[in-house]
Amino acid sequence: MHTTHYTLIFIKTQNHVLLGYKKRGFGQQKWNGFGGKLEENETISEGAIRELFEESNLVVEKQHLHYMGVVTYDDDVHRRIVYIFSASQVEGDLKESDEMRPQWFEFENIPYHNMWPDSQFWLPLVLNDHHLQARFTYNDYKIYKYNVEQLDVIPDLIHVEA
């Protein structure tokens, strides 16, 4: 099975989250956090910081990046491992990119109906500052099976960053 590594970062305040409307590519016409595939020789945190800047013009310092956990997606031939981050302290002027249109949402008005179906199971944990690990198996863009665990301790990212 081919494995690809991704990052996904959610910028949030006490009761709002910044989502991006995907304008092209994989996940087009869906709301999501900001992120994408890691580049060669790039650490996971570097990838999260780069993707956020490319898609929103916002800058987050590494010390303000909070690793929340990992979500793994499997299908018949591919495994996607997505490292989930949150941040509350960012700099820069929020701008739309050619890939994403950013918009703030109140926690109670998140457009789950226009996101990947698995988001409703794990994103509330991130918004409430809980760590997680989750696995979803998709079949024809529908969830076939899944498991979501709230973790009591911060997941270890060191072995991945080494």
Side-chain angles (χ1 to χ4, degrees):
M1 180 177 290
H2 178 70
T3 301
T4 309
H5 298 268
Y6 297 84
T7 62
L8 196 57
I9 181 170
F10 294 90
I11 305 305
K12 61 189 200 79
T13 66
Q14 190 170 357
N15 57 2
H16 287 81
V17 64
L18 183 64
L19 299 176
Y21 184 77
K22 187 83 167 156
K23 297 171 11 181
R24 63 176 171 83
F26 187 69
Q28 184 174 349
Q29 299 182 334
K30 293 189 184 304
W31 291 98
N32 206 345
F34 300 87
K37 190 169 19 173
L38 288 176
E39 294 181 351
E40 192 173 337
N41 298 320
E42 181 176 54
T43 67
I44 293 167
S45 55
E46 288 169 348
I49 291 166
R50 175 186 52 78
E51 287 284 351
L52 176 66
F53 179 73
E54 289 176 359
E55 295 178 349
S56 71
N57 199 50
L58 295 178
V59 176
V60 62
E61 303 274 335
K62 186 173 180 176
Q63 68 265 24
H64 299 301
L65 195 61
H66 304 287
Y67 177 57
M68 304 307 294
V70 65
V71 180
T72 302
Y73 298 94
D74 292 321
D75 59 32
D76 292 337
V77 296
H78 201 102
R79 172 169 288 156
R80 293 170 178 87
I81 300 174
V82 182
Y83 303 93
I84 309 295
F85 293 88
S86 71
S88 297
Q89 295 181 352
V90 293
E91 296 177 8
D93 295 322
L94 183 61
K95 291 183 184 168
E96 182 172 339
S97 69
D98 61 344
E99 188 173 352
M100 299 285 264
R101 177 172 42 91
Q103 183 176 324
W104 288 99
F105 290 92
E106 293 180 338
F107 287 178
E108 59 269 8
N109 293 321
I110 292 174
Y112 287 114
H113 64 281
N114 198 19
M115 297 176 77
W116 286 102
D118 56 89
S119 299
Q120 65 184 316
F121 298 107
W122 60 265
L123 183 54
L125 293 173
V126 173
L127 298 179
N128 288 299
D129 297 321
H130 297 297
H131 299 284
L132 71 123
Q133 94 182 3
R135 181 178 298 273
F136 291 86
T137 302
Y138 272 83
N139 186 351
D140 197 27
Y141 296 100
K142 293 187 172 101
I143 297 172
Y144 175 70
K145 64 181 177 178
Y146 72 95
N147 180 34
V148 177
E149 294 178 61
Q150 178 178 323
L151 303 177
D152 294 328
V153 296
I154 298 173
D156 184 13
L157 188 61
I158 294 170
H159 70 279
V160 181
E161 293 277 39

